[in-house]
Amino acid sequence: MLYPITGDTKRHTHRFLTTDLAAVGTVRGTSTGQNAAETQSTTGHVYRDAPQRRPTRTANVVEKVAFMMEDEAFTDINGKTISLDCQSHSSLCREFTVSVPKVSIGKVLVYTCCVWLLAYAVFCFTENTAVLSSAIIVTLVGMMLHIHFVKVDHESLIVIRSLGIQMSSSYASGRETTTFIEMSKIKDIVINEAIYMHQIIYYLCVLLKDPSEPEAVSSVVPLFQSSKPRLNCLVKVYKSCQEILSKC
Amino acid sequence: MVLKVFFPQCCNRADSGLLVGRWISGHDSAVVLAVIHYPFIPGQVKQYVQKMQAQSGVELSVLGSWSLPKDGQEGMESFLRDLSTIFPQERWLQINRELGKTGFTCQVVHRDQNGKVVQREAKKKVEGGDEEEEEEEEEKVIFVHYEQKKVMFSQLHPVENGVPHPTTDPPSELRQMFRTVASSAPLFFLDRYDNGPLKSTHWQTEGREASIIVELLKQASVPLCLLIGWLLSVWSWICNLRVFSLFPLRFLSSKLSTCVQLSYRSEHMRTLSSRTPAAGHAHFMRKANMVVSFLVDVSLGMLLVWWLYRDEHISMLANALLPAAEHVAKELEELLQWLMGAPAGLKMNRALDQVLGRFFLYHIHLWISYVHLMSPFVEGILWYGGLSACFGLTFALSLLSDMVALLTFHIYCFYVYGARLYCLKIYGLSSLWRLFRGKKWNVLRQRVDSCSYDLDQLFIGTLLFTILLFLLPTTALYYLVFTLLRLVVVLFQGVLHLSVDFINSFPLFALGLRLTRHHRLAEGVKFRVLCEEPGTALHLLMEINPLKCSTVVQTYRTPTYSCYPRDSWAALVKKLFVGELVYPWRHKTTKTD
């Protein structure tokens, strides 16, 4: 589903991003971004460079206000609002939670009405009551499966210095799936870019290494797969993680 | 430098004492296994630790001191500090906890090479008490709380078989920690009701836990193993009789699925009846899965037997068999009559049609007389065959599959005749087609070469080509009909074999363990941050992340003589088109065959 632009040269992308964070958003390399605080991305949305403090041609006041607010309006790649919560338990441990909007009751009503109208239409033709009861059962089972297996409520990332990284997704029914990766297997955390259908998106990922071969990247584990936050959110998480990882 | 201390939850409220555990080399962490309480004699403690080290094989040592002052116990600070001189260590942990507070504080005392204790707090006082540095030093200890009982019994997956190479493949910290706890079983034998010189706290302080059922099973398994071993020796003596190693019987026994299933089960019994206990987790799980699958098999078979032998079901089945066979024969005859006429409006070559049709009709006549001959014995056969379900449902299913194969032997014969005829025709046609175009198949070079033929060769070749071409539709139609019939039978047999395979290989014990005691099969761990107070170290709770059910089934599947498709769909279709004989299901041979 996700095809990274840079084949196995993920380190290259990583280096590009860390050395020149002000140039984030201009991956085409057209301008170094020294003079632009706002850069257009391919999808037409505007990114703000958080660390950029110089007064720019437009949106001075807006930028300052946005910087002062703790909870910026983050969105995911489709434009839906998400929220990021950073919690620092101690200097050794930080937790980031990205929450996705909940299941909307309007959508549920629309789907249920459609299914039941269709079932009633079929019933009018066939005069078989089994159609109606099966429609009810299908709707209920479908809803239960959706909230248990598909609908993610929030995803969280915990970074613990010298122990490892833990990623967990929590579903709407309360189920939680957790993965923990030990520090010896982690090479680095980077922001990588990928071609996703007609878009180019950024995603945060963990580079794993085999302890016997410290130089080679053995696999890549993407983070925040279901919530897919945008670059501004990712940069915040990335900087925070690097502060902890660099001390290890 | 962050120090990680794995602290058992059972010791959270233990009385003050000494911490016994192990330093994990290379990872800057310590696993606390038990707390030995005051009063004690240091010499006895050292002796005890050495004895435990010898028994368990784990490098145990006294890690430090633990202090939870109860009411009236003051002034232990200097006593605790002096303890570090009695037990010479590189690093000495002093963990303090106060009742009412949830956080621990830890001070690490280092000992430099001269044996002089370097006390950091004294150093700090000299430097003027730098607040930040003190906090930073305190914070650089992480306490990971773990539940000792669960970690003791859990197995991290993927299971590492054998001894991992220490230099090329260093074991991870978590694996070392799990192995430490699992191997320290002798340390947990002392409970508080013992009247020994030492009192310790660990997960079995209130008394050793065990399950009566497990102990009874262990006691009962010894005579059971002996019995099974004896039965198996009798059985293998019978199997190795010279009579049975004659060629036809050996060939037959490798083809009949009942015999294959019998040898498979006896192989299992041989594994189970061995005297040595299971070495390693994987071996134990395999044995347990075998036992459970055998028991389930036998119980399902008993259920079938109970259903079959009541209310005259067997005679009902026997009485229904003959009319069913006659019905099949009648349908086949009608099919052949239809083919001999003008099937689907196609015009057949009358002579060839009649020859093939009469040939197959005669076969059906032979078969139906054979069924009539067998009909008085059918009930007896069914009655005794049903008894085989006592050995297990798999035997009943394999017997059914064999019986179906025997009863539809005529369809198999028809298929072989039709396929051979069609195959010959296709090869003849392709070869004569090459002749028609002036080419030849070069066997030496395995390719098509041009060739000049004589006139009479060309003439006869063209004649034969025309004959074969015009006879093709007839043969093709017969071939198609009988191939379809054969495929139906093969499909039914395949379903039976797949269900036998499923009962044989499904790891019910592993799945049951995953559902009831999910901490025993661990995919990894998960951490949760416990509420902390500012200024104390970071406290994490380590829980076991159980294995996913699909991974359990994949890892613990018992290997079988599995029955799976031999060719891919494309290869199968190609073989059918060319007329090669098709045997879609392949049996993996076991080691005994």
Side-chain angles (χ1 to χ4, degrees), chain A residues 89 92 162 166 178 180 212, chain B residues 4 139 168 525 527 532 545:
Chain A
H89 295 288
L92 303 168
S162 87
Q166 173 170 301
T178 323
F180 175 74
S212 47
Chain B
K4 288 159 279 190
E139 272 202 68
T168 56
V525 293
F527 290 93
E532 73 278 2
N545 205 7

Side-chain angles (χ1 to χ4, degrees), chain B residues 520-534:
Chain B
R520 288 197 59 167
L521 302 171
E523 189 184 29
V525 293
K526 49 187 175 188
F527 290 93
R528 214 174 61 194
V529 181
L530 295 174
C531 316
E532 73 278 2
E533 290 149 2

Side-chain angles (χ1 to χ4, degrees), chain B residues 301-321:
Chain B
M302 289 300 189
L303 211 67
L304 182 70
V305 161
W306 172 75
W307 174 81
L308 208 58
Y309 285 93
R310 63 170 194 154
D311 292 345
E312 308 277 339
H313 275 146
I314 293 222
S315 40
M316 257 171 45
L317 276 174
N319 293 338
L321 195 69

Side-chain angles (χ1 to χ4, degrees), chain B residues 393-412:
Chain B
L393 186 67
T394 47
F395 285 102
L397 288 175
S398 338
L399 203 65
L400 180 68
S401 154
D402 287 335
M403 277 174 58
V404 161
L406 281 177
L407 285 175
T408 56
F409 190 63
H410 61 306
I411 295 183
Y412 174 64

Side-chain angles (χ1 to χ4, degrees), chain B residues 215-228 272:
Chain B
E215 297 298 319
L216 281 175
L217 280 175
K218 280 190 194 161
Q219 295 296 321
S221 65
V222 173
L224 205 66
C225 280
L226 286 173
L227 179 68
I228 294 176
L272 286 175

Side-chain angles (χ1 to χ4, degrees), chain B residues 79-126:
Chain B
F79 175 59
L80 293 172
R81 231 173 295 139
D82 294 335
L83 276 176
S84 66
T85 52
I86 305 174
F87 297 98
Q89 300 290 333
E90 257 183 39
R91 274 187 286 195
W92 181 259
L93 299 172
Q94 272 177 266
I95 306 184
N96 304 312
R97 184 187 175 187
E98 285 164 46
L99 273 181
K101 281 191 173 177
T102 48
F104 299 174
T105 51
C106 176
Q107 287 146 8
V108 182
V109 174
H110 289 268
R111 183 182 290 279
D112 62 13
Q113 281 167 343
N114 297 335
K116 254 183 78 178
V117 171
V118 175
Q119 290 205 353
R120 286 172 328 149
E121 358 171 34
K123 223 170 140 185
K124 268 185 236 123
K125 278 180 195 151
V126 164

